[in-house]
């Protein structure tokens, strides 16, 4: 049986066979090198981690050296914050809740490694206990928690030149002392303060990252506030144990006035105007006027207590207190006005009854005199008439009367008196005057109120 030769016959290979053989060998070498490089890359990461963080090689309890590797210089930690959301700002508790991504970056020369010509850009860790961490805490924190869904939202990156980047997502409830004198026309500044707990500035210094240390998510939405701007600053604190590094960012919030205009100011104005309807009702409609006055007064009092229930009990007077207090005074004044009208109406009725009785008595007296005269005429009785003789002193008296008449001037006609004379009773006059006085005074109050607080708000803003 003939066998096929495993190799071409002896002699030189043809050019086509040689070219095909070279292509196959090149392809096999490339595949082998790629597979070998991929495996080596992962193995090198493990080897580097074991090398720099292995037992007896790195101690996380010792802080890194300072600038240029000097042990006496403090460790510099750059801080960066990304505000993801601000869920609420509570006026009563004077606090606000925020969710943020917090980042720290520092240099630790003990973690330098070979990047194999750029093949390893950085190493990633999820356990913060394996490297040294700054002892930073939030000074004005009330509550806080980390996020562990689906995995713990934390990572550590170690770069070849020894830089360490720590990033974590956290939610915080922070204290925010507020000045509510201009409420609800106010602006509030809430701070986020971060400080060192144990290391003094001789060992650890926090600095804001150069460029843009604080970023805010686009389309940040708040229910009743608008984030106008934020400012970064330093707030180092000195105690008897030393000076401690501190960073702070001030968030300036402007309260949205449209909500309070619709929920508070317009309803209060409507209640005050409704209380003026009593001035147009008849004085005799006692049940209607009393019901209207008491109802508006109780509604205004309920509105005022509801507003105060959502605010802390502070010792100073707020802008909303001035508004509700004056509106309550106007409603109460309308109720007192009806009490005065009712009293004046009863007084007018009493005076009218007295006039009628007096007129009746005069008529009865005149009738009795006529009856007596008739009786005297019937008895043929004569009366002696006084002589019409002018005494000497009468001329002087008449002359004085003429002089007084000359010096006395007639009263000028007053338009207000003329207009009020159209209303004969005092109760009606009180109602008519109240119809004009109450709206004018309330309009004047609005002019003073808005000009005062709006100008004060602009002054505080500048």
């Amino acid at each position: 049986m003939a066998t096929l030769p495993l190799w071409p016959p002896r002699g030189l290979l043809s050019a086509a066979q040689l070219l095909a053989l070279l292509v196959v060998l090149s392809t096999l070498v490339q595949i082998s090198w790629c597979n070998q490089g991929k495996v080596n890359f992962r193995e090198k990461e493990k080897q580097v981690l074991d090398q720099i963080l292995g037992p007896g090689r790195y101690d996380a309890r010792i802080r890194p050296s300072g600038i240029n590797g000097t042990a006496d210089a403090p460790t510099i930690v750059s801080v960066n914050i990304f505000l993801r959301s601000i869920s609420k700002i509570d006026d009563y508790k004077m606090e606000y809740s925020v969710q943020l991504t917090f980042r720290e970056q520092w240099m630790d020369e003990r973690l330098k490694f070979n990047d194999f010509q750029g093949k390893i850009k950085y190493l990633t860790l999820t356990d913060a206990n394996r490297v040294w961490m700054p002892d930073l805490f939030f000074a004005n924190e009330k509550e806080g928690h980390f996020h562990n869904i689906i995995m713990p939202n934390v990572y550590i990156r170690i770069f070849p030149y020894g830089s360490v980047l720590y990033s974590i997502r956290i939610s915080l409830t922070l204290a925010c002392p507020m000045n509510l004198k201009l409420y609800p026309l106010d602006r509030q500044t809430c701070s986020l303060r971060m400080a060192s707990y144990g290391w003094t500035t001789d060992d650890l210094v926090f600095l804001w990252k150069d460029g843009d240390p604080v970023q805010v998510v686009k389309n940040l939405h708040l229910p009743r506030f608008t984030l106008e701007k934020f400012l970064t600053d330093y707030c180092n604190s000195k105690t008897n144990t030393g000076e401690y590094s501190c960073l702070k960012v001030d968030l300036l919030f402007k309260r949205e006035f449209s909500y309070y205009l619709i929920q508070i100011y317009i309803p209060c104005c409507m209640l005050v105007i409704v209380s003026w309807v009593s001035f147009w009702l008849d004085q005799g409609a006692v049940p209607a006027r009393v019901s209207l006055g008491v109802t508006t007064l109780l509604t205004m009092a309920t509105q005022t207590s509801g507003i105060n229930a959502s605010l802390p009990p502070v010792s100073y007077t707020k802008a909303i207190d001035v508004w509700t207090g004056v509106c309550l005074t106007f409603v109460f004044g309308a109720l007192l006005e009806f009490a005065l009208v009712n009293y004046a109406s009863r007084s007018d009725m009493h005076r009218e009854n007295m006039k009628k009785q007096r007129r009746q008595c005069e008529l009865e007296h005149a009738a009795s005199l006529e009856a007596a005269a008739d009786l005297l005429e019937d008895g043929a009785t004569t009366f002696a008439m006084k002589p019409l003789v002018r005494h000497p002193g009468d001329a002087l008296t008449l002359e004085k009367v003429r002089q007084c008449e000359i010096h006395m001037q007639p009263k000028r006609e007053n338009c207000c008196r003329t207009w009020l004379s159209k209303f004969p009773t005092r109760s009606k006059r009180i109602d008519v005057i109240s119809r004009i006085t109450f709206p004018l005074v309330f309009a004047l109050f609005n002019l003073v109120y808005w000009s005062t607080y709006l100008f004060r708000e602009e002054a505080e803003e500048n």
Side-chain angles (χ1 to χ4, degrees):
M1 175 182 256
T3 58
L4 294 175
L6 297 178
W7 192 255
R10 293 181 180 180
L12 296 176
L13 297 175
S14 64
Q17 292 175 342
L18 182 61
L19 181 60
L21 181 61
L22 291 176
V23 171
V24 172
L25 291 176
S26 176
T27 303
L28 292 175
V29 170
Q30 289 180 1
I31 294 174
S32 176
W33 182 84
C34 289
N35 292 333
Q36 185 178 5
K38 185 177 181 180
V39 174
N40 289 340
F41 176 73
R42 298 303 179 190
E43 290 180 355
K44 289 297 181 182
E45 285 186 356
K46 179 181 180 303
Q47 292 176 6
V48 170
L49 286 173
D50 293 338
Q51 179 182 358
I52 62 177
L53 297 177
R57 296 180 179 273
Y58 184 87
D59 194 345
R61 298 172 297 178
I62 302 175
R63 72 172 180 88
S65 302
I67 301 175
N68 298 326
T70 56
D72 296 335
T75 303
I76 305 299
V77 179
S78 299
V79 176
N80 176 30
I81 292 177
F82 177 64
L83 291 176
R84 294 185 173 273
S85 65
I86 300 176
S87 57
K88 69 173 182 177
I89 300 177
D90 195 334
D91 297 317
Y92 188 83
K93 296 182 179 180
M94 291 192 178
E95 63 184 21
Y96 71 105
S97 299
V98 60
Q99 183 185 124
L100 53 89
T101 299
F102 177 74
R103 299 186 182 99
E104 295 177 307
Q105 192 167 6
W106 65 93
M107 182 69 68
D108 193 344
E109 295 185 354
R110 297 173 295 176
L111 299 177
K112 289 183 178 180
F113 62 89
N114 184 12
D115 60 351
F116 296 96
Q117 299 179 353
K119 298 298 180 181
I120 303 177
K121 295 182 179 180
Y122 53 81
L123 302 175
T124 303
L125 296 177
T126 56
D127 187 5
N129 295 324
R130 300 192 63 182
V131 296
W132 176 87
M133 293 291 300
D135 60 340
L136 182 141
F137 76 102
F138 295 94
N140 57 333
E141 173 199 356
K142 287 187 174 181
E143 294 179 2
H145 66 273
F146 301 119
H147 293 266
N148 297 319
I149 301 175
I150 299 176
M151 293 291 292
N153 297 165
V154 57
Y155 70 83
I156 299 174
R157 289 179 179 175
I158 304 175
F159 295 90
Y161 51 89
S163 178
V164 181
L165 175 63
Y166 173 76
S167 179
I168 187 171
R169 187 167 71 99
I170 54 179
S171 293
L172 299 170
T173 299
L174 304 165
C176 178
M178 299 181 181
N179 186 357
L180 300 174
K181 289 184 178 180
L182 298 180
Y183 177 90
L185 301 168
D186 57 336
R187 285 177 169 84
Q188 299 297 336
T189 302
C190 297
S191 299
L192 173 61
R193 297 195 303 272
M194 299 157 287
S196 174
Y197 181 75
W199 299 96
T200 63
T201 53
D202 296 333
D203 299 318
L204 180 63
V205 174
F206 291 111
L207 297 177
W208 286 113
K209 186 178 180 180
D210 295 335
D212 193 9
V214 178
Q215 299 94 39
V216 181
V217 67
K218 294 182 179 179
N219 302 323
L220 179 65
H221 177 70
L222 294 173
R224 289 180 290 175
F225 288 88
T226 301
L227 179 61
E228 286 192 332
K229 59 181 179 180
F230 52 87
L231 302 172
T232 56
D233 200 358
Y234 297 90
C235 54
N236 292 0
S237 60
K238 292 183 179 180
T239 65
N240 55 1
T241 57
E243 182 178 0
Y244 297 88
S245 184
C246 177
L247 303 177
K248 75 171 181 177
V249 54
D250 294 329
L251 306 174
L252 180 60
F253 297 101
K254 181 181 179 181
R255 198 181 298 271
E256 289 291 342
F257 180 69
S258 58
Y259 168 82
Y260 301 93
L261 180 65
I262 297 173
Q263 297 294 327
I264 296 178
Y265 284 93
I266 292 180
C268 289
C269 284
M270 294 174 64
L271 286 174
V272 172
I273 294 173
V274 167
S275 68
W276 298 342
V277 177
S278 174
F279 306 151
W280 299 86
L281 299 179
D282 187 70
Q283 297 94 334
V286 177
R289 297 188 70 163
V290 171
S291 301
L292 182 62
V294 172
T295 302
T296 53
L297 182 62
L298 292 177
T299 307
M300 191 65 214
T302 304
Q303 179 85 353
T304 303
S305 33
I307 295 170
N308 293 329
S310 61
L311 296 174
V314 294
S315 59
Y316 48 81
T317 302
K318 303 179 289 294
I320 195 65
D321 294 336
V322 176
W323 175 264
T324 55
V326 173
C327 291
L328 189 62
T329 303
F330 271 93
V331 174
F332 183 68
L335 185 60
L336 290 183
E337 188 270 348
F338 170 68
L340 182 61
V341 167
N342 191 15
Y343 173 77
S345 177
R346 288 186 284 107
S347 178
D348 292 338
M349 293 177 60
H350 179 70
R351 186 182 293 106
E352 191 67 23
N353 292 332
M354 293 297 294
K355 286 183 180 180
K356 289 181 180 180
Q357 291 179 3
R358 189 181 299 110
R359 193 178 298 112
Q360 187 175 0
C361 290
E362 290 177 354
L363 292 176
E364 292 176 356
H365 183 65
S368 63
L369 289 177
E370 290 179 0
D374 293 339
L375 290 175
L376 290 175
E377 288 179 359
D378 293 340
T381 305
T382 59
F383 293 92
M385 300 297 294
K386 291 184 179 180
L388 298 176
V389 180
R390 192 175 289 177
H391 296 282
D394 293 341
L396 181 60
T397 304
L398 293 175
E399 185 66 23
K400 289 182 178 180
V401 170
R402 291 192 188 97
Q403 292 179 0
C404 292
E405 291 178 355
I406 293 173
H407 290 290
M408 290 178 62
Q409 296 180 355
K411 294 182 179 180
R412 297 180 179 178
E413 291 294 333
N414 193 340
C415 59
C416 294
R417 291 182 179 179
T418 305
W419 178 65
L420 288 176
S421 63
K422 298 179 181 179
F423 309 100
T425 60
R426 290 188 301 173
S427 58
K428 189 65 176 179
R429 292 177 184 176
I430 294 173
D431 272 342
V432 171
I433 293 174
S434 299
R435 294 172 189 173
I436 301 173
T437 305
F438 272 71
L440 286 179
V441 176
F442 189 69
L444 180 62
F445 161 71
N446 275 270
L447 179 62
V448 175
Y449 179 87
W450 295 113
S451 60
T452 300
Y453 283 102
L454 289 178
F455 288 156
R456 187 180 298 178
E457 181 188 7
E458 292 178 359
E460 289 192 356
E461 181 180 359
N462 296 331

